[in-house]
Amino acid sequence: MKAVGYIRVSSDEQVKNYSLDAQKQSIEQHCKEQGIRLTKVFREEGESAKSANRPQLMEMINLCTSKNSDIDLVIVKNFDRFARNAADHTGVKAKLLQHGVKLHSIDQPVDDTPAGRLVEIVFAGLAQFDNETRGERSATGMIKGLEAGRWMWAAPLGYIRNLPKTSPSLFVVEEEAEHIRYAFEQVAKGKSKADILIELQRRGLRTRKGNTLTKQSLNNILKNPRYAGIIDNMGIEIEGDFEPIVSRDLYEIVNRKIVTTECSSSSIEP
C-alpha cells in the first residue's frame, strides 16, 4: 500500500517551533509500524486551512487524482491539519475517493462504516467550530486593542512597533519621521507633490519594503491618519496611544488640499 502524507501549520511561528517536523515524524513512524510505503510528504508552511486553495494541498490532490497515480492513502496527523472547514473536508475527501484514495488520520482513526463516517464529520465540524471561535476571539481582541488606542498591525513608515499589548504601540523613528513631516509641511505651503517627491527621493527615503518612493506611496503617506496620531480602523476612530508625527491641524489642512486637487482634476473634461 502506498501513501502520501500531508502536514500543515498556519503561521510562521509554528513553522519555527518545528510543529511540521513533529507531524512528519508521526506520519513516518505510523507508516513504518503499519507496513505502508510513504512516497512523499507534502509540507504546507504557514497556510491557513480556511480555504482549500493551498499550494501543497492542490499539488497533493493533483498527484493522487492523476491518471497514472498509484496512491492508496493520504495520511494526516489529525483532521484539522487537513481542513478547518467541514465543506472543504467533505469535498476534497470525495474527490480523492473518486480516484480510489482514502483519507486517514493517525490521531482520529475512523472506520469506513456509517458510524465511522458520522464521527469523521463530527471531527471536521469541531475543527471548523474551533477555527471560527478563534476568529471571533481574535476580532474581539483587536477591537479591545483599538479601543485602548493601540495600533496592532505593521508599523507605518516613520514608526517602529513596540512589544504586543504594550503602550505606546508605536515609537517614532525620527530619521524617517523628519522626511514625512517635511512632506506634510511642503504640501501645506502649496508646493507640488511632484517636487516634494523628487526631494524625498533625493534624500533617500524609501518605503517600508525598501522600494523607491512613488507618487502613489507619497499620496498614501499624506492620507494616513496614523501620522496625526489617529487610529481609524474596524469602524473605530480614536486617538492613538503613540506620538503623532504631525499635528492634527496640519494633517487636516493637507488632506483638504488633496481632496480639492482631486476634485478639480476629476472635473476637467478630457
Side-chain angles (χ1 to χ4, degrees):
M1 183 174 285
K2 290 185 179 181
V4 294
Y6 178 75
I7 60 179
R8 179 192 64 80
V9 290
S10 58
S11 73
D12 292 336
E13 290 181 359
Q14 287 178 290
V15 174
K16 294 172 185 174
N17 288 334
Y18 308 107
S19 176
L20 282 168
D21 290 337
Q23 291 177 57
K24 183 172 184 287
Q25 289 171 9
S26 181
I27 291 173
E28 289 173 341
Q29 182 63 30
H30 179 78
C31 289
K32 183 177 180 181
E33 292 172 355
Q34 300 299 317
I36 299 170
R37 182 182 170 191
L38 183 65
T39 61
K40 184 172 182 178
V41 176
F42 291 88
R43 184 184 181 102
E44 202 89 71
E45 300 190 8
E47 291 288 341
S48 169
K50 292 180 181 179
S51 167
N53 295 322
R54 289 166 263 150
Q56 289 296 297
L57 177 67
M58 300 308 296
E59 187 176 333
M60 183 268 290
I61 292 171
N62 289 337
L63 173 64
C64 292
T65 59
S66 64
K67 186 176 180 180
N68 298 320
S69 173
D70 56 357
I71 302 300
D72 303 294
L73 286 175
V74 170
I75 302 177
V76 294
K77 192 171 190 307
N78 52 55
F79 288 124
D80 70 1
R81 297 300 86 198
F82 185 66
R84 293 178 74 85
N85 177 297
D88 285 344
H89 177 102
T90 304
V92 175
K93 180 188 175 184
K95 186 170 185 177
L96 293 171
L97 282 174
Q98 287 174 1
H99 293 80
V101 182
K102 295 182 179 180
L103 174 66
H104 175 71
S105 167
I106 297 171
D107 292 347
Q108 299 161 324
V110 293
D111 298 326
D112 190 18
T113 62
R117 289 190 286 274
L118 174 61
V119 171
E120 182 175 341
I121 291 171
V122 171
F123 280 135
L126 288 172
Q128 180 173 339
F129 173 76
D130 178 66
N131 189 60
E132 290 175 352
T133 53
R134 283 171 186 259
E136 285 183 356
R137 289 196 297 270
S138 176
T140 300
M142 286 181 180
I143 289 171
K144 287 183 177 179
L146 287 169
E147 289 174 342
R150 290 199 302 272
W151 182 250
M152 295 168 288
W153 293 271
L157 188 67
Y159 287 104
I160 188 171
R161 280 283 306 275
N162 195 356
L163 295 173
K165 299 182 180 180
T166 306
S167 292
S169 51
L170 298 172
F171 290 117
V172 174
V173 180
E174 189 53 42
E175 54 266 34
E176 295 174 352
E178 64 175 309
H179 302 309
I180 293 166
R181 205 173 289 119
Y182 165 84
F184 275 92
E185 290 170 350
Q186 295 305 306
V187 170
K189 291 177 180 178
K191 192 170 184 177
S192 73
K193 285 191 286 185
D195 289 340
I196 294 169
L197 181 60
I198 292 171
E199 174 60 20
L200 291 176
Q201 290 172 340
R202 187 193 68 77
R203 294 182 177 200
L205 183 64
R206 290 182 172 268
T207 68
R208 179 62 72 218
K209 293 182 179 180
N211 299 323
T212 301
L213 210 64
T214 64
K215 180 180 178 180
Q216 183 60 52
S217 51
L218 174 58
N219 221 36
N220 290 341
I221 287 172
L222 296 171
K223 290 182 176 182
N224 192 336
R226 251 69 69 200
Y227 294 121
I230 304 166
I231 288 178
D232 184 4
N233 205 34
M234 296 179 71
I236 295 172
E237 182 172 336
I238 195 168
E239 185 176 341
D241 66 351
F242 48 90
E243 179 186 349
I245 289 176
V246 300
S247 70
R248 185 173 294 208
D249 286 344
L250 178 57
Y251 172 80
E252 291 176 350
I253 289 169
V254 167
N255 277 269
R256 281 197 297 269
K257 283 180 173 288
I258 291 174
V259 170
T260 301
T261 302
E262 289 177 345
C263 289
S264 298
S265 298
S266 63
S267 65
I268 298 173
E269 293 293 333

